[in-house]
Amino acid sequence: MSASGAGAMDYRSTEGSRHDKILFWGCFIALITTAFGFIARMFLINTWATEFGLDPAQSGRLAGIGIWPFAASIIGFSLIIDKIGYKVAMVMAFLGHILWAVMATSAFFISKNGDKDTAYKMLYWGSLILALANGTVEAFINPVVATMFSREKVRWLNILHAGWPGGLVLAGIVTIFMGNAAWWIKVGILAVPAIVYLIMLVPLKFPVQEREAAGVSYREMLAEFGFLGAAIVGFLLILQFMDFFTGIPKFQEKIIRDGAEIIVLVSWLKWTIVAIGVLIVLAFGGYTRSLGRPFLFFMILIMIPLATTEIGTDGWITSIMEGITAGKFHPGWILVYTSIIMVIMRFFAGPIVHAISPLGLLAVSAGLAIVGLYTLSFTAGMAIFVAATVYGFGKTFFWPTMLGVVSEQTPRGGAMTLNAISGIGMLAVGVLGFPYIGALQADKKIEAIAATSAAKTAGLVTSDGKLVPEVLDPRYIYEVIHYKVVNDDKLNARIAMLPKEKKDEIATAAASSSQRALKNMTVFPGIMLVGYIILIGYFVSKGGYRAQLIGHPTEPDKFAGGLPTPVR
């Protein structure tokens, strides 16, 4: 089946055939499934921290292992997906989702039987498999939809990505109303949408990506990404694999730093990982013989704070606000509420983009995110939802509009550039964003306790207003990022003789301290705003923003925007 000319079925037509509508909505439900896995894990991070004795940054690592392998999957599949086909990728994603549901459910019962170590390993490795499956979903849905609607990529990618907050809303409401139900149910429910998208998509034929249909070679596709893009991926993967192998006992060694014993990666493996990463990046650069598109590299740099602003904040918001909302409402309602805003608004992206351009929309969104995060850092009660409204409008268009802009400006990059921007975002938030926000919360807890009169009464505050080192433990991320956490046992021993009201003062300050971390998070949308303003100025100097077309400049409709779309 193929389409060409105005009278034939066109994948870019909003009418489309029944086949194409099922294909689009099957992709939509596949994305909903990834959100089910994400939100269930995020809602359970505090539960697992208590059950397995994790500090905030360690909790961030457990959150991160469910995120960063997404990047390895989406980028890896982007290199081969045109060869193996989108349907094969879809089936592999389904198998990964089902395997996660089985492993996570098993972990619950293993933990209840007393084997906490095995149960935690099941969760950890299962989270990695879930992340790989989620990345595989995005590896096929983004290029499929960009090809089906190549004249309106920003609009339809926004509609597609309404599936992400839609899944957050559905799974969030279900999880909240489950209350104290056993957590195996909350993780296992992901199997339901997974089975639905498999049934919808297995019988269908998938389109050939526009880059491949236009005859752009494989090397030309990779050249769009180039050495610079590969260098960013290589750097982030080196950090992540170093951290990953540090968690395996046979690759650990203990050293003394700041008077405390810490676990690090054995030196030979650390430098082996660095060497392999560097060689792969150099080989990629040698094969493509290209630094990559400067525009794409700039977008990659912006994607790092963008992912931390959206995915990082979403991932932590429930636990961050838990101390503020206790006894009032479930903190998960904040994420559900902002996700409802995202679902609704992403369906209206088309008219908004038409009015202010994709980059204008991104700039306005960054400004709203700054205001929203800042006000969320100090509001309480129902006023939290006022701040959350601003933040919700701010984050709504970030991810899919970035994908649309990259696809419109680098169509020769095909699935590679479109998916790589997502992969780098998820890799960055998993490698740096989640642990950073966890460490930031630990720092705010220290500050909050030091500011209490009870801490001063107990002699826990130094002359410069800081908490005494005796109740703190040093921590390191990748042996580079240094932070400290409160040792609750040491703290409780120091305040054991204080009256109850003084102990309660410290406990209250500690419980509500995480909210303040959101103020520091405004730096990320601030960086984004500057970047978008620079890009707007660049395109103004070029005569305005226009989507790039693949093919002969005098016959563009034969290629992008009017591309005859064969199917597999």
Side-chain angles (χ1 to χ4, degrees):
M1 178 173 57
S2 64
S4 61
M9 184 277 292
D10 186 347
Y11 271 84
R12 291 151 307 282
S13 170
T14 56
E15 297 298 321
S17 68
R18 179 176 180 272
H19 172 281
D20 307 319
K21 291 176 182 177
I22 296 173
L23 179 57
F24 177 83
W25 291 111
C27 291
F28 187 89
I29 293 173
L31 189 56
I32 284 178
T33 307
T34 69
F36 265 61
F38 175 83
I39 197 170
R41 293 181 70 260
M42 293 304 103
F43 275 20
L44 291 168
I45 283 294
N46 281 357
T47 299
W48 291 335
T50 301
E51 189 161 338
F52 300 109
L54 311 176
D55 69 40
Q58 290 171 330
S59 297
R61 281 183 177 176
L62 179 57
I65 193 64
I67 299 295
W68 71 262
F70 172 107
S73 178
I74 191 173
I75 295 173
F77 267 100
S78 296
L79 295 172
I80 62 173
I81 200 164
D82 290 335
K83 303 296 183 184
I84 67 172
Y86 297 130
K87 185 176 292 188
V88 172
M90 180 274 295
V91 172
M92 293 179 69
F94 168 77
L95 294 175
H97 282 142
I98 294 300
L99 187 55
W100 153 252
V102 171
M103 292 180 70
T105 299
S106 301
F108 172 84
F109 294 102
I110 292 171
S111 177
K112 294 306 177 186
N113 287 332
D115 190 350
K116 301 289 185 183
D117 183 59
T118 300
Y120 178 77
K121 289 177 180 177
M122 292 281 282
L123 278 178
Y124 188 84
W125 292 107
S127 295
L128 183 146
I129 291 171
L130 172 66
L132 292 175
N134 288 348
T136 307
V137 166
E138 288 236 16
F140 78 84
I141 64 172
N142 288 328
V144 163
V145 172
T147 298
M148 289 168 66
F149 304 103
S150 57
R151 282 191 183 275
E152 298 179 289
K153 292 178 181 178
V154 172
R155 176 191 176 192
W156 283 99
L157 284 169
N158 267 281
I159 294 174
L160 171 67
H161 281 265
W164 171 261
L168 296 184
V169 171
L170 290 174
I173 291 174
V174 170
T175 302
I176 289 171
F177 278 108
M178 282 182 180
N180 295 323
W183 55 260
W184 72 267
I185 303 174
K186 299 176 182 179
V187 293
I189 199 173
L190 166 141
V192 176
I195 292 172
V196 171
Y197 81 72
L198 178 74
I199 293 172
M200 291 180 69
L201 294 177
V202 159
L204 303 181
K205 294 183 178 180
F206 288 75
V208 174
Q209 213 279 330
E210 60 178 332
R211 185 276 308 175
E212 189 179 5
V216 176
S217 72
Y218 184 73
R219 178 175 290 184
E220 287 177 295
M221 176 185 76
L222 298 185
E224 293 286 290
F225 193 61
F227 172 80
L228 292 176
I232 296 294
V233 173
F235 170 72
L236 293 173
L237 282 176
I238 285 171
L239 291 181
Q240 187 56 70
F241 280 113
M242 286 172 59
D243 180 67
F244 175 76
F245 283 106
T246 301
I248 301 175
K250 66 179 180 179
F251 297 127
Q252 297 173 350
E253 63 181 1
K254 297 178 180 179
I255 64 172
I256 303 298
R257 187 173 291 174
D258 294 334
E261 185 179 77
I262 64 171
I263 296 174
V264 299
L265 183 66
V266 292
S267 294
W268 69 265
L269 181 56
K270 174 172 62 179
W271 292 112
T272 299
I273 291 171
V274 171
I276 292 173
V278 171
L279 287 174
I280 291 174
V281 171
L282 291 175
F284 188 92
Y287 175 75
T288 61
R289 299 192 296 273
S290 169
L291 287 176
R293 287 280 298 277
F295 168 81
L296 181 63
F297 181 67
F298 194 76
M299 293 292 278
I300 287 171
L301 295 179
I302 294 176
M303 195 67 184
I304 294 172
L306 183 151
T308 303
T309 300
E310 181 180 341
I311 305 298
T313 305
D314 282 355
W316 273 112
I317 194 68
T318 300
S319 59
I320 283 176
M321 303 302 287
E322 197 167 44
I324 301 298
T325 63
K328 299 169 185 172
F329 57 86
H330 192 292
W333 282 117
I334 300 171
L335 180 56
V336 170
Y337 174 67
T338 57
S339 297
I340 290 172
I341 292 173
M342 294 172 72
V343 172
I344 296 171
M345 293 306 299
R346 282 182 177 179
F347 277 92
F348 294 96
I352 299 173
V353 168
H354 181 73
I356 63 174
S357 85
L359 291 174
L361 175 59
L362 286 168
V364 171
S365 297
L368 291 173
I370 293 170
V371 175
L373 285 174
Y374 183 80
T375 52
L376 272 173
S377 72
F378 62 81
T379 50
M382 297 308 293
I384 289 173
F385 288 95
V386 177
T389 300
V390 180
Y391 169 64
F393 276 99
K395 69 173 179 171
T396 289
F397 301 109
F398 281 153
W399 202 279
T401 304
M402 283 285 284
L403 295 185
V405 170
V406 167
S407 185
E408 287 186 343
Q409 296 302 317
T410 61
R412 298 176 68 83
M416 181 63 190
T417 53
L418 177 59
N419 286 333
I421 196 77
S422 271
I424 289 172
M426 295 298 274
L427 181 60
V429 75
V431 173
L432 300 173
F434 275 119
Y436 170 78
I437 298 172
L440 189 59
Q441 290 176 75
D443 186 58
K444 293 302 178 183
K445 181 178 179 179
I446 293 171
E447 291 180 3
I449 293 174
T452 63
S453 61
K456 296 180 177 67
T457 300
L460 294 173
V461 182
T462 63
S463 58
D464 57 355
K466 296 181 179 179
L467 210 58
V468 294
E470 289 82 359
V471 297
L472 302 176
D473 288 337
R475 295 283 191 273
Y476 287 86
I477 301 175
Y478 316 121
E479 301 181 45
V480 177
I481 302 173
H482 179 215
Y483 68 102
K484 295 181 180 179
V485 299
V486 174
N487 184 310
D488 290 326
D489 291 337
K490 294 178 181 178
L491 176 65
N492 291 334
R494 292 287 297 267
I495 65 175
M497 302 305 293
L498 291 179
K500 183 178 182 301
E501 60 271 19
K502 291 292 186 181
K503 293 178 181 178
D504 289 344
E505 181 188 4
I506 290 177
T508 300
S512 61
S513 61
S514 293
Q515 183 186 20
R516 301 176 190 177
L518 294 171
K519 180 179 178 180
N520 297 71
M521 293 292 292
T522 59
V523 67
F524 295 112
I527 293 170
M528 293 158 56
L529 179 58
V530 172
Y532 294 137
I533 290 173
I534 292 172
L535 286 174
I536 290 170
Y538 168 76
F539 279 103
V540 168
S541 71
K542 297 292 184 180
Y545 180 94
R546 294 184 185 87
Q548 299 298 305
L549 303 176
I550 300 178
H552 195 284
T554 62
E555 297 181 295
D557 282 347
K558 289 188 179 179
F559 300 93
L563 181 68
T565 312
V567 295
R568 287 194 177 97

